[in-house]
Amino acid sequence: MKVLGINGSHRAGKGTAALLQAALDGAAEQGTALGVPVSGELVELSRLDIGFCIGCNRCLAQTSCTLADDMNDLYEKLRDADVVLLASPDYFGAVSARMKNFMDRTRPFHMVENVLTGKVGGALSTAGLNNCGGEGTLALLDSWFATQGMLAVHPRTPGAPLAGGVVATGFAGLNEKGQPQWRSVKGDEIGFALARQLGREAVSLAARLR
């Protein structure tokens, strides 16, 4: 089983990448538990040359794009993947520009037919504050999964629900003056626990669909 993680952060290898890697680790763990070999790959959009959609509308008649850049390789990775995990930092309550550009460039996979129909998807986000933008980012990613005809997983760890989705934040609480205190998003134990659970549940669903 192939699990593809796509990081929309402008900063490769930082907090959002770590959160996405936790989901990939969870996917690998679940594959081992189910006896299903899982290969995971993390793609950094910031390291790719992906141009803007130019609105030529060629994709109204074909499932490929006329632009020649690194998106061509990513199209093939998307076609081959059983699970697609998208991660983006929260930028004003939405995905990053890199992630939005990626989403725009997947238009050829939707206009003639939904090329990704039936694949499993999962959304992750990082943010500065709790309940302040990350949820909107997840909603946009979930909308992309729905548009592509994919099945989106929403993780829940055992016991009481911890959160509505996978959002790791840099908010560490308020000091005695009511001012926010900050940490690395890597210190968000709940966010990372949910990321690992997302990977596990995505693989479980994909295995059932095989």
Side-chain angles (χ1 to χ4, degrees):
M1 182 183 300
K2 293 184 179 180
V3 181
L4 177 65
I6 300 177
N7 182 16
S9 174
H10 302 298
R11 303 195 305 158
K14 299 296 184 179
T16 306
L19 187 67
L20 183 54
Q21 185 60 55
L24 292 171
D25 292 343
E29 292 167 3
Q30 190 66 8
T32 299
L34 296 175
V36 177
V38 170
S39 62
E41 180 180 4
L42 195 159
V43 173
E44 298 276 11
L45 292 181
S46 64
R47 291 177 174 160
L48 302 182
D49 176 23
I50 299 177
F52 296 123
C53 171
I54 59 175
C56 69
N57 284 333
R58 294 286 181 86
C59 60
L60 295 179
Q62 61 189 37
T63 59
S64 59
C65 182
T66 57
L67 299 180
D69 56 21
D70 288 340
M71 192 67 191
N72 290 332
D73 289 336
L74 201 45
Y75 286 137
E76 294 308 309
K77 292 180 186 295
L78 288 166
R79 287 180 184 273
D80 291 341
D82 299 288
V83 176
V84 178
L85 304 176
L86 300 184
S88 175
D90 157 42
Y91 276 51
F92 280 86
V95 296
S96 70
R98 288 186 189 277
M99 179 57 74
K100 181 57 169 65
N101 187 45
F102 159 79
M103 295 162 73
D104 290 345
R105 288 291 304 278
T106 62
R107 190 178 185 231
F109 278 10
H110 171 65
M111 300 310 295
V112 176
E113 61 177 298
N114 277 345
V115 175
L116 304 180
T117 291
K119 294 181 185 292
V120 176
L124 308 93
S125 179
T126 53
L129 295 169
N130 296 336
N131 307 310
C132 191
E135 296 76 12
T137 302
L138 294 182
L140 283 173
L141 296 174
D142 274 345
S143 177
W144 183 84
F145 293 132
T147 299
Q148 297 289 355
M150 298 174 65
L151 304 174
V153 171
H154 300 92
R156 173 165 176 165
T157 53
L162 299 177
V166 183
V167 181
T169 76
F171 180 66
L174 302 174
N175 64 16
E176 64 279 1
K177 296 181 180 180
Q179 298 169 327
Q181 302 298 294
W182 306 107
R183 67 182 177 200
S184 166
V185 296
K186 297 176 183 178
D188 189 333
E189 295 182 5
I190 292 177
F192 275 73
L194 284 168
R196 288 187 289 273
Q197 184 68 15
L198 175 70
R200 288 192 286 266
E201 293 186 15
V203 164
S204 291
L205 178 55
R208 290 199 295 270
L209 294 173
R210 282 187 156 190

